[in-house]
Amino acid sequence: MRYIIDDVRYHFRSAFDTETGAYVRTGILDENGKDTGVDPFMASYPHLIDVGVMGHCIHGKTGLCAKAGIGCYQSGLTVEQPNMALEDFRWIAEQSKHRCNQFALGGRGDPDQHEHFAELLKICRENDLVPNFTTSGYGMTPEIAVQCKKYCGAVAVSWYRSEYTLNAIKMLLDAGVKTNIHYVLGKNSIDEATQRLEGDDFPKGINAVIFLLHKPAGQGTRANVLNFHDPRVAEFFVRVDRKHPFKVGMDSCNVPGAIHYCKNILPESLDTCEGGRYSCYISADMYMTPCSFDQNRRYYVPLRGSTIEQAWNSTPFEAFRDRMRSACPGCEKKELCMGGCPLMPEIVFCDDEKKHITGGE
């Protein structure tokens, strides 16, 4: 199914294919409906919602993340809350029908271990939303993989360097699921990432490897944050810039690095932080924030007694956007990265003298 969203407030049009996941949007349209070529800063409703359906991690006590060298940014080892109620999830989905394209299921733990996982997927499709999610793979089964094939656009398996990682990837591929690998990139993992890219050393048949920049949130430490001047960063992006038998992607937090180091990536293919502009996060206890990494809840809005649209147009969300609007005013590349992460300037791969983040505190 294909559908088009006309954003009357911000004067642009977007189209989404629920079968292929193809998504395109125009630039700002003038009074004659002609594309001006200027990217719209934001949408009037999020096009992607990261829904934290998991309030706790059932594998938390096993320390899977820590053993894999990954600090759970949602503090899944120490925080235990109820998972999102099915009624709350349905409420979110019904508001989002034909206004939002995708739900990224997440939270403190593997979404495929939610007690109503299959029903969550069905609710998405009933409302013409495409569900995607990331899993450690620890609890993946062939039966779950079949559900993923039926309902999901793609499934990502976190690179936990274990037998269950490879088993989950195989189960998903055997079921015909578009399967990605999510690789957290920090000081402790960048050497391995560079070596694996050099040798294309990832399981055959995967769709893509997506590199997610380590952030100092939750149990993620500042000691593991990569530094722009670390020579390994430049070496890594040189490998990203080469051809591979699988797609290579990155989260928006990595975009400043791609701008500085990659020569073969089209600037038009880069999309910087969409938090509060095209995406948001909703926690299991029904708080909404521009980004799931806002673990200190600086920009949270309670959804009890409020709609998603009202939260989207709230003062906290505007404060978050203002950080991007006012960032790096003298930089000619501002439109490509908008100063990078509005929450954690220390993770931004840039040392330009024009780098300047203001507002929103």
Side-chain angles (χ1 to χ4, degrees):
M1 175 181 174
R2 300 178 180 88
Y3 63 86
I4 294 173
I5 299 175
D6 282 305
D7 198 308
V8 177
R9 182 174 182 180
Y10 294 110
H11 311 292
F12 72 96
R13 176 176 293 177
S14 64
F16 183 71
D17 189 315
T18 60
E19 298 304 318
T20 66
Y23 167 76
V24 294
R25 63 177 180 251
T26 67
I28 296 173
L29 305 175
D30 65 18
E31 61 274 11
N32 298 314
K34 183 178 180 181
D35 192 330
T36 63
V38 178
D39 285 340
F41 176 75
M42 63 179 289
S44 57
Y45 192 92
H47 287 186
L48 182 148
I49 300 180
D50 186 353
V51 189
V53 297
M54 299 301 290
H56 61 277
C57 179
I58 65 171
H59 307 309
K61 293 180 180 179
T62 68
L64 293 185
C65 294
K67 291 176 183 176
I70 298 169
C72 176
Y73 77 93
Q74 295 231 23
S75 300
L77 281 172
T78 58
V79 179
E80 290 194 19
Q81 294 179 343
N83 293 333
M84 181 176 285
L86 203 57
E87 295 75 17
D88 287 337
F89 186 83
R90 191 185 303 275
W91 179 82
I92 295 168
E94 289 176 350
Q95 286 183 72
S96 301
K97 186 173 184 176
H98 294 167
R99 306 183 74 189
C100 177
N101 302 321
Q102 302 183 62
F103 275 11
L105 308 184
R108 291 188 193 92
D110 292 336
D112 54 355
Q113 301 304 299
H114 191 283
E115 58 270 27
H116 301 296
F117 178 65
E119 188 64 25
L120 297 178
L121 300 184
K122 291 177 184 177
I123 289 172
C124 285
R125 285 300 187 172
E126 287 169 1
N127 290 280
D128 294 330
L129 297 159
V130 177
N132 302 296
F133 69 95
T134 304
T135 177
S136 71
Y138 191 81
M140 180 60 64
T141 66
E143 292 74 22
I144 293 175
V146 169
Q147 292 291 312
C148 294
K149 171 59 179 176
K150 185 175 181 179
Y151 293 109
C152 294
V155 175
V157 178
S158 296
W159 189 247
Y160 275 20
R161 305 165 181 84
S162 299
E163 184 178 356
Y164 60 79
T165 305
L166 300 177
N167 288 341
I169 292 171
K170 184 178 186 304
M171 278 186 268
L172 289 165
L173 290 175
D174 286 349
V177 178
K178 182 184 289 186
T179 307
N180 299 328
I181 289 173
H182 277 184
Y183 190 112
V184 178
L185 195 67
K187 285 183 179 178
N188 66 341
S189 63
I190 192 169
D191 290 334
E192 179 198 354
T194 301
Q195 291 167 7
R196 287 189 179 276
L197 282 177
E198 181 67 26
D200 291 328
D201 186 19
F202 286 101
K204 292 182 179 179
I206 61 167
N207 175 61
V209 179
I210 312 297
F211 291 97
L212 313 175
L213 197 59
H214 168 85
K215 290 91 169 173
Q219 291 163 318
T221 66
R222 292 187 180 276
N224 197 32
V225 174
L226 283 164
N227 186 282
F228 177 78
H229 297 287
D230 188 329
R232 298 179 299 168
V233 172
E235 293 171 10
F236 165 76
F237 279 105
V238 167
R239 303 310 191 283
V240 168
D241 218 15
R242 296 176 181 173
K243 289 186 177 180
H244 301 278
F246 42 79
K247 297 175 184 177
V248 177
M250 62 192 77
D251 62 359
S252 58
C253 311
N254 266 309
V255 165
I259 292 171
H260 280 279
Y261 293 118
C262 293
K263 309 299 181 185
N264 299 317
I265 294 179
L266 291 173
E268 293 83 2
S269 70
L270 298 175
D271 213 348
T272 190
C273 177
E274 293 195 337
R277 301 192 308 120
Y278 291 94
S279 67
C280 67
Y281 175 74
I282 299 176
S283 62
D285 56 352
M286 299 299 284
Y287 281 79
M288 182 166 140
T289 184
C291 174
S292 63
F293 285 95
D294 182 14
Q295 290 299 299
N296 293 324
R297 298 197 166 187
R298 283 187 286 171
Y299 301 100
Y300 266 53
V301 179
L303 287 179
R304 303 297 186 195
S306 175
T307 66
I308 293 173
E309 185 170 7
Q310 287 170 339
W312 184 252
N313 293 312
S314 66
T315 298
F317 270 66
E318 274 301 294
F320 185 88
R321 296 175 189 123
D322 283 343
R323 291 182 68 82
M324 286 182 273
R325 290 189 179 106
S326 60
C328 310
C331 182
E332 62 276 9
K333 296 179 180 179
K334 174 186 168 134
E335 294 304 315
L336 288 176
C337 78
M338 297 187 189
C341 180
L343 292 171
M344 308 168 199
E346 66 269 33
I347 72 170
V348 180
F349 287 139
C350 180
D351 69 346
D352 195 300
E353 62 182 12
K354 297 174 183 176
K355 178 181 174 183
H356 183 58
I357 311 294
T358 62
E361 295 294 348

